[in-house]
């Protein structure tokens, strides 16, 4: 993967989100070198996620103009990264790692994705959209887990969102 050159004018680069040491293990790879996950099916939606679509719509509606455009752009980029072949092994590892509760895997995974995206963009993502996009991506990932048969409760989803938010805050050195 290509490294993004650092801008010498940048005052601060966002650090990595602290992770559970169990997340550092390498995921098993398929013979082709990439995990084989089925693509998401937009016709299947988790009932738990469906209950929260109104709130997600309200979050998006609360942002207009440049902030709304940034939200849409960052969410699209996050979805692309979440389902990219390059992320397949990491996603598979998180799904299959039963040593941590599903809420931790989901929340920490999305928090790391958000901080990684901002680092890749040299801190150019408006900070006002990071948590809202993180919530949307957490719901998307929860829906995907439902599609592939991973059990997730309302409590798991709530905990995952809280863990994601705390992980993002920690990644930026903010005491949650």
């Amino acid at each position: 993967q290509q490294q993004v050159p650092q801008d010498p004018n940048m005052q601060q680069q966002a650090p990595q989100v602290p992770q559970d040491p169990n997340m550092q293990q390498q995921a098993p790879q398929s013979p082709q070198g990439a995990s084989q996950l089925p693509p998401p099916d937009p016709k299947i939606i988790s009932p738990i996620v469906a209950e929260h679509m109104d709130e997600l719509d309200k979050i998006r509606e609360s942002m207009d103009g440049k902030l709304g455009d940034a939200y849409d752009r960052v969410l699209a980029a996050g979805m692309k990264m979440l389902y990219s072949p390059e992320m397949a092994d990491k996603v598979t590892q998180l799904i299959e790692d039963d040593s941590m509760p599903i809420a931790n895997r989901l929340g920490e995974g999305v928090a790391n994705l958000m901080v990684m995206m901002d680092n890749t963009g040299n801190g150019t993502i408006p900070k006002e959209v990071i948590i809202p996009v993180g919530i949307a991506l957490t719901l998307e990932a929860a829906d995907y887990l439902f599609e592939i048969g991973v059990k997730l409760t309302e409590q798991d989803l709530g905990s995952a969102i809280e863990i994601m938010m705390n992980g993002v805050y920690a990644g930026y050195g903010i005491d949650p």
Side-chain angles (χ1 to χ4, degrees), residues 7-62:
D7 183 348
N9 296 322
M10 289 290 297
Q11 292 180 351
Q12 181 181 13
Q13 177 181 357
Q16 292 297 314
V17 173
Q19 294 183 7
D20 184 301
N22 294 323
M23 290 181 66
Q24 300 298 324
Q25 300 168 352
Q26 292 297 314
Q29 293 186 347
S30 69
Q32 294 81 23
S35 299
Q36 301 298 312
L37 291 174
D41 184 346
K43 293 177 275 183
I44 300 173
I45 186 158
S46 158
I48 293 171
V49 171
E51 289 179 28
H52 298 285
M53 294 311 291
D54 287 346
E55 290 97 345
L56 193 59
D57 290 341
K58 287 178 186 174
I59 289 171
R60 173 56 185 92
E61 290 168 7
S62 71

Side-chain angles (χ1 to χ4, degrees), residues 30 34-40 82-85 87-96 144-145 148 150:
S30 69
S35 299
Q36 301 298 312
L37 291 174
L82 189 61
Y83 295 115
S84 72
M87 293 292 287
D89 285 336
K90 289 180 184 181
V91 171
T92 299
Q93 174 187 351
L94 286 171
I95 292 169
E96 295 175 350
Y144 182 73
L145 290 174
I148 62 171
V150 175

Side-chain angles (χ1 to χ4, degrees), residues 59-61 63-79 117 129 133:
I59 289 171
R60 173 56 185 92
E61 290 168 7
M63 293 178 249
D64 57 2
K66 289 184 181 182
L67 204 54
D69 292 344
Y71 174 91
D72 294 340
R73 209 172 37 253
V74 174
L75 181 58
M79 296 282 280
M117 287 173 50
V129 304
V133 170

Side-chain angles (χ1 to χ4, degrees), residues 1-10 13 118-124:
Q1 198 174 45
Q2 207 173 33
Q3 285 255 287
V4 175
Q6 297 298 315
D7 183 348
N9 296 322
M10 289 290 297
Q13 177 181 357
D118 197 34
N119 283 338
T120 301
N122 289 322
T124 58

